[in-house]
Amino acid sequence: QVQLVESGGGVVQPGRSLRLSCAASGFTFRSYGLHWVRQSPGKGLEWVAVVSYDGDHKYYADSVKGRFTISRDDSKKTLYLQLNSLRVEDTAVYYCTRVVVPGVIWDAFDMWGQGTMVTVSS
Amino acid sequence: EIVMTQSPATLSLSPGERATLSCRASQSVSTNLAWYQQKPGLAPRLLIYGASIRATGIPARFSGSGSGTEFTLTISSLQSEDFAIYYCQQFNKWPMYTFGQGTKLEIK
């Protein structure tokens, strides 16, 4: 079955850390660029970060640069997002997504996970 | 940053009617534009990419058009399952993807 499944969300205090995981199945994981997108409660969608298919290129939204780190483990077919120095405004559902075309970074997202909720609150 | 502006914010229509949703970019994004549908509690679903290419499994009643700064998503005859929130997204100017604020399509 072709799917992405996120995990690792939870409730955390401001300033603390969390690591999100996204397990992939049903497609050639190492061939695709992968992104994280988040959605604050009742709000729209915000792009967070991307890692290229080969892991050599990583880019971040200004709002998370220096605090979040995206990575991938092709042997485990898993995408990660390390969230450090969390802020209240990072509260959101975090989705991992796959691009349409293998081998490219910047493209539409044809596959989404179900999302994992991160709540930052004291 | 490219700002994506969707209109209207809410569209009230009846099943069987035609829906026209608009998305405007603050600068040209060529045809690097996608449309997504999102229902409550679910992840977004890709409908259209490359401004006019239907994604796999998307019904023919969904169509996209436009280039540059003006884009349109048209649903030719609304079905009950089409009532949802629709987002446009540009992927022309990277590394900053941006989404529109969404259009809520509701049953009249």
Side-chain angles (χ1 to χ4, degrees), chain A residues 5-10 19-23 36 78-79 94 96 114-116:
Chain A
V5 179
E6 300 96 336
S7 61
R19 189 176 82 156
L20 307 182
S21 300
C22 172
W36 288 96
T78 301
L79 174 71
Y94 285 74
C96 62
Q114 86 288 354
T116 187

Side-chain angles (χ1 to χ4, degrees), chain A residues 82-99:
Chain A
Q82 178 69 39
L83 291 66
N84 295 334
S85 303
L86 280 161
R87 304 169 180 169
V88 171
E89 55 265 34
D90 295 320
T91 295
V93 175
Y94 285 74
Y95 297 102
C96 62
T97 69
R98 187 193 80 170
V99 297

Side-chain angles (χ1 to χ4, degrees), chain A residues 2-45:
Chain A
V2 181
Q3 62 177 2
L4 298 167
V5 179
E6 300 96 336
S7 61
V11 180
V12 62
Q13 293 179 326
R16 303 299 289 265
S17 299
L18 210 58
R19 189 176 82 156
L20 307 182
S21 300
C22 172
S25 60
F27 65 96
T28 307
F29 182 80
R30 66 180 182 273
S31 295
Y32 286 86
L34 299 165
H35 296 246
W36 288 96
V37 175
R38 67 184 181 182
Q39 186 170 34
S40 300
K43 303 292 186 181
L45 300 162

Side-chain angles (χ1 to χ4, degrees), chain B residues 6-100:
Chain B
Q6 292 186 240
S7 61
T10 303
L11 184 59
S12 300
L13 294 170
S14 301
E17 291 192 293
R18 182 185 186 91
T20 302
L21 288 67
S22 296
C23 176
R24 174 176 293 179
S26 59
Q27 59 184 272
S28 177
V29 298
S30 185
T31 56
N32 295 312
L33 189 287
W35 290 95
Y36 300 87
Q37 176 195 68
Q38 188 177 32
K39 297 180 179 180
L42 297 180
R45 177 175 71 144
L46 178 66
L47 300 174
I48 301 287
Y49 64 100
S52 61
I53 304 169
R54 265 192 309 277
T56 302
I58 301 303
R61 64 181 182 273
F62 290 91
S63 64
S65 64
S67 65
T69 61
E70 300 285 343
F71 300 89
T72 301
L73 175 69
T74 302
I75 310 171
S76 59
S77 179
L78 284 166
Q79 306 297 304
S80 58
E81 61 267 29
D82 298 336
F83 293 94
I85 298 175
Y86 292 82
Y87 294 96
C88 63
Q89 174 209 28
Q90 68 83 17
F91 49 96
N92 185 67
K93 187 167 181 64
W94 47 270
M96 278 301 298
Y97 278 74
T98 44
F99 292 86

